[in-house]
Amino acid sequence: MRRKILNVAIFFAVLCLYPPARADTSTFSGITFFRSDVTVREDATLEVREEIAVRDAASFYKYGFRRDLPISPTDRWDTRYVGEYKPDNGIRVDILEVTEDGTPAKFEQGSGYGYSQLFIGERNVPFDSGEHRFVIRYTVDSALNPSAARDTLYWNAIGHERNSPVAEAILAVHLPAGVAGESVEVEPRVAGRGVSFPRGPETTLERIDDSLGAIVYRAANVKPRQSLSLAVTWPAGFIHEPKLALLGRDVWMFFAPTALFLYYLMAWFSIGPEPKPGVFVARYEPPEGLSPAAARYIASGVSDGRSFAAVIAQLAVRRCIRLESTVGKYKLSRLMSDHATESALAPEEKRVLALLFEDGPIIELSGAMDQRNTAQNGRYVFHIHEELTKAIGGKYFTRHSGFIVLGVLVTFATALALALTAHGRDASGAVFFTLWVLFCGLIVGMMIELSLASAWKAAVKTRMGWTSLLPATAAIAIFAGAIGFLLKNLASGVSLSFSLMLVAFLLINLGWGPRLKRKSVLGRQVSDQIAGFRQFLEKVDQDKLNRLNPEADAPQDLVRFLPYAIALEVKEAWGDQLSQTFFASSVVAEE
């Protein structure tokens, strides 16, 4: 008798230890078995393994097998656990493995709104009538909802974007070690979204005991558009999101700009320091043979709107032109100067004189930011810079442009390689956006660094001409806004790390480029002479320069040092007004 009782006890114990046997699916069409094991990792990410068995499913998968990963806003619909609806909920996945019938299978992941779609095997090829078993492994970022008191995982395992029924579905959640079972709260559900596709009496749901402590639920007869979901909460403190979690797993991309920075640093050390300034004394004459624009080029390393203004003033001083000012506009008339006077002009002054009057003896100049004036004034500055570079650039400067060109080429090559291999929610436009951001970013950055910043500095210093800078500032702001918009799209479509990498590339190139230019020994000596001459202009001729009337139609008492005062930014009323007129609408060039 005791033996029979013992046998019965063992029989019932075995029944309790093993889950109920699967239903007979030999005639079932659709997903015969679905199991998802979700492991919550201590770094706040998930590792998911899905096993899906499909039988006689040609009517459901006419164009090949498609698995919609349960990460879209459609599947994460319950606002109690995931917050308000967002077209992009920020969840990202990384596919680790895909197999079909035990063999590695090729797959293709969608992008944009179809980011959750995973196409396995041949596209546009319907299933046969046999049975196939798929295994998908992937990691998930940003699916947890941590809080100060309790952390929450909402996982809608099967997903709603599905027309096939599921005979049996199992969802197992593995929490971090140390989470006590009695502190965990679970809300299971089998149904469609909201009140859609409610659970019928034929659909069952039960919890299965797990010897390893996982939370396991089993559902049977799950209808199309229905899913098995769990909302699991547990005390906070068991997961620790990394400090750089926003950068995601692509933080390694910052090795590229770091290497570029080190490249420029080594180039900077190899070039060596610039000759130190010597002791200079006040000079009563500019360095011999240097025009006002050349003096500015050597002193500051740039050619800009102030250089153009200095050239115009020099032509007026030499009686080659007559200058009349009317509220921010200047009328220039060609005067009949002798051959000796024109021969004595500097190369850039001769070039500008020819360009100014190539269409007639009278021209009107304006600093307005319309297309015509911007192109016209920029053309003059370009030719001034061209002549100065040709005549004195290599004599007073060592450019080291090879380092800069190589750095920019490496920047584009590296960024494009990463864009071509980029993965993300929508990486389709990564190559175009990367090219656009780098090209426009470098151009806009150079304009700000070499032109607009100098113009605003002069406007603040002289307290005039700032209104003429507003159109240029607005135009730069529009381009900067467009770059920011593209960077935001790249952060969303690829990763935040990729977007910040491009920003780092821009800042490193723009920051290091100008710092590789060096004055030669002769350039330093002449710079000291220019500084001494500027000191003389500031202390001796300041009052005389300031007495010039900025409103006069044709200032006749222009002193011969006025063009140098404009070029070297010595404060004086008429020169400040003239230079500010062309500052905003001209493009700075630098070697």
Side-chain angles (χ1 to χ4, degrees):
M1 184 66 177
R2 291 180 179 175
R3 188 183 184 91
K4 291 182 178 180
I5 294 175
L6 181 60
N7 289 337
V8 171
I10 293 174
F11 174 77
F12 279 104
V14 171
L15 288 179
C16 293
L17 287 174
Y18 288 91
R22 299 180 187 173
D24 181 16
T25 58
S26 59
T27 60
F28 186 88
S29 296
I31 297 177
T32 59
F33 178 71
F34 177 95
R35 180 177 177 117
S36 177
D37 284 87
V38 181
T39 302
V40 180
R41 303 197 290 197
E42 293 183 356
D43 63 355
T45 63
L46 306 178
E47 183 172 346
V48 182
R49 181 186 186 276
E50 295 180 348
E51 183 179 350
I52 308 171
V54 182
R55 183 183 183 280
D56 192 22
S59 59
F60 302 110
Y61 299 103
K62 299 179 181 180
Y63 305 102
F65 184 68
R66 189 184 95 180
R67 165 62 177 148
D68 287 88
L69 304 179
I71 60 172
S72 69
T74 301
D75 293 322
R76 296 180 62 82
W77 62 274
D78 199 328
T79 57
R80 293 176 300 169
Y81 306 111
V82 300
E84 295 300 321
Y85 169 84
K86 295 180 181 178
D88 180 9
N89 55 25
I91 295 180
R92 299 292 182 266
V93 299
D94 185 15
I95 308 298
L96 303 178
E97 179 187 20
V98 177
T99 65
E100 180 179 356
D101 299 328
T103 304
K106 68 176 184 179
F107 62 89
E108 178 183 340
Q109 188 175 355
S111 61
Y113 288 104
Y115 178 62
S116 60
Q117 298 172 2
L118 194 64
F119 298 91
I120 303 175
E122 296 295 333
R123 294 284 297 270
N124 301 319
V125 177
F127 267 11
D128 54 33
S129 59
E131 184 171 357
H132 299 271
R133 186 172 297 269
F134 300 92
V135 174
I136 307 170
R137 290 180 52 244
Y138 55 96
T139 58
V140 186
D141 292 328
S142 305
L144 292 179
N145 297 322
S147 66
R150 295 181 68 83
D151 299 326
T152 302
L153 167 65
Y154 174 73
W155 195 250
N156 196 2
I158 312 176
H160 297 297
E161 298 295 328
R162 187 194 75 260
N163 293 321
S164 63
V166 179
E168 181 183 13
I170 296 176
L171 172 56
V173 175
H174 307 264
L175 296 178
V179 178
E182 60 272 13
S183 66
V184 178
E185 298 178 2
V186 184
E187 182 179 344
R189 184 176 184 273
V190 175
R193 294 179 58 197
V195 297
S196 303
F197 303 99
R199 174 181 167 187
E202 68 280 5
T203 303
T204 62
L205 176 64
E206 59 181 331
R207 182 163 182 169
I208 302 175
D209 292 332
D210 185 81
S211 60
L212 298 178
I215 302 167
V216 185
Y217 277 82
R218 175 183 180 273
N221 299 316
V222 182
K223 302 301 180 184
R225 301 290 176 177
Q226 293 183 347
S227 183
L228 167 61
S229 63
L230 291 182
V232 185
T233 64
W234 62 93
F238 294 95
I239 62 173
H240 306 281
E241 195 170 18
K243 294 181 179 179
L244 298 178
L246 287 177
L247 298 180
R249 57 185 174 274
D250 292 335
V251 69
W252 58 268
M253 288 186 175
F254 289 102
F255 286 115
T258 300
L260 180 67
F261 180 87
L262 293 176
Y263 160 77
Y264 276 121
L265 182 63
M266 289 187 293
W268 186 78
F269 276 116
S270 68
I271 292 171
E274 192 173 82
K276 294 182 179 180
V279 178
F280 58 88
V281 296
R283 293 175 54 93
Y284 306 110
E285 295 284 339
E288 185 178 356
L290 285 188
S291 65
R296 177 167 181 77
Y297 180 74
I298 295 173
S300 62
V302 299
S303 301
D304 54 19
R306 187 173 286 274
S307 304
F308 182 34
V311 169
I312 293 176
Q314 180 77 333
L315 292 175
V317 168
R318 296 293 182 89
R319 304 298 180 183
C320 294
I321 64 172
R322 181 172 63 248
L323 184 64
E324 302 171 87
S325 65
T326 55
V327 193
K329 294 183 179 181
Y330 291 87
K331 179 181 178 182
L332 279 63
S333 303
R334 183 74 161 88
L335 298 179
M336 296 300 296
S337 52
D338 56 47
H339 179 73
T341 299
E342 294 190 12
S343 298
L345 295 176
E348 73 276 5
E349 294 164 357
K350 294 178 182 178
R351 186 77 170 270
V352 170
L353 182 63
L355 292 172
L356 286 172
F357 303 104
E358 59 186 352
D359 295 327
I362 297 176
I363 186 175
E364 185 177 83
L365 298 180
S366 170
M369 282 299 297
D370 58 61
Q371 184 177 0
R372 177 180 178 275
N373 284 312
T374 301
Q376 183 185 53
N377 297 337
R379 177 172 171 247
Y380 298 140
V381 173
F382 171 80
H383 286 292
I384 290 173
H385 180 74
E386 187 178 48
E387 292 295 335
L388 291 174
T389 303
K390 188 189 308 180
I392 65 175
K395 185 177 180 181
Y396 297 100
F397 294 98
T398 53
R399 302 179 181 87
H400 307 292
S401 55
F403 288 111
I404 300 173
V405 171
L406 180 59
V408 172
L409 289 177
V410 169
T411 295
F412 274 88
T414 304
L416 285 177
L418 293 174
L420 286 169
T421 58
H423 296 284
R425 181 175 180 269
D426 191 3
S428 57
V431 173
F432 173 77
F433 290 162
T434 297
L435 281 174
W436 206 95
V437 166
L438 289 179
F439 181 78
C440 292
L442 289 174
I443 297 298
V444 171
M446 290 175 61
M447 292 177 67
I448 294 174
E449 189 176 61
L450 304 177
S451 179
L452 196 62
S454 300
W456 273 108
K457 179 181 177 181
V460 171
K461 179 181 177 181
T462 61
R463 297 182 181 181
M464 63 186 303
W466 63 271
T467 54
S468 65
L469 297 177
L470 294 180
T473 304
I476 293 292
I478 291 173
F479 275 96
I483 293 172
F485 176 75
L486 293 181
L487 287 171
K488 181 180 178 182
N489 284 346
L490 285 171
S492 174
V494 181
S495 71
L496 179 61
S497 296
F498 186 88
S499 183
L500 293 179
M501 177 199 66
L502 295 182
V503 175
F505 272 141
L506 290 175
L507 294 178
I508 291 170
N509 280 289
L510 291 171
W512 274 111
R515 286 163 178 77
L516 297 185
K517 188 176 183 179
R518 295 285 191 273
K519 284 185 172 71
S520 64
V521 175
L522 178 60
R524 170 50 60 193
Q525 294 174 354
V526 174
S527 293
D528 292 342
Q529 295 174 11
I530 293 172
F533 179 57
R534 187 177 190 279
Q535 187 180 60
F536 159 72
L537 292 177
E538 286 180 329
K539 293 184 176 180
V540 179
D541 264 10
Q542 182 75 75
D543 292 339
K544 182 184 293 185
L545 294 172
N546 282 339
R547 284 198 299 269
L548 291 178
N549 181 9
E551 301 300 330
D553 288 338
Q556 297 298 319
D557 57 345
L558 286 173
V559 294
R560 66 188 182 95
F561 292 151
L562 176 59
Y564 290 93
I566 295 174
L568 300 179
E569 301 183 38
V570 177
K571 184 181 183 299
E572 46 78 23
W574 184 83
D576 284 337
Q577 186 183 59
L578 178 64
S579 61
Q580 283 298 105
T581 298
F582 305 116
F583 232 138
S585 62
S586 57
V587 179
V588 174
E590 177 173 325
E591 286 292 327

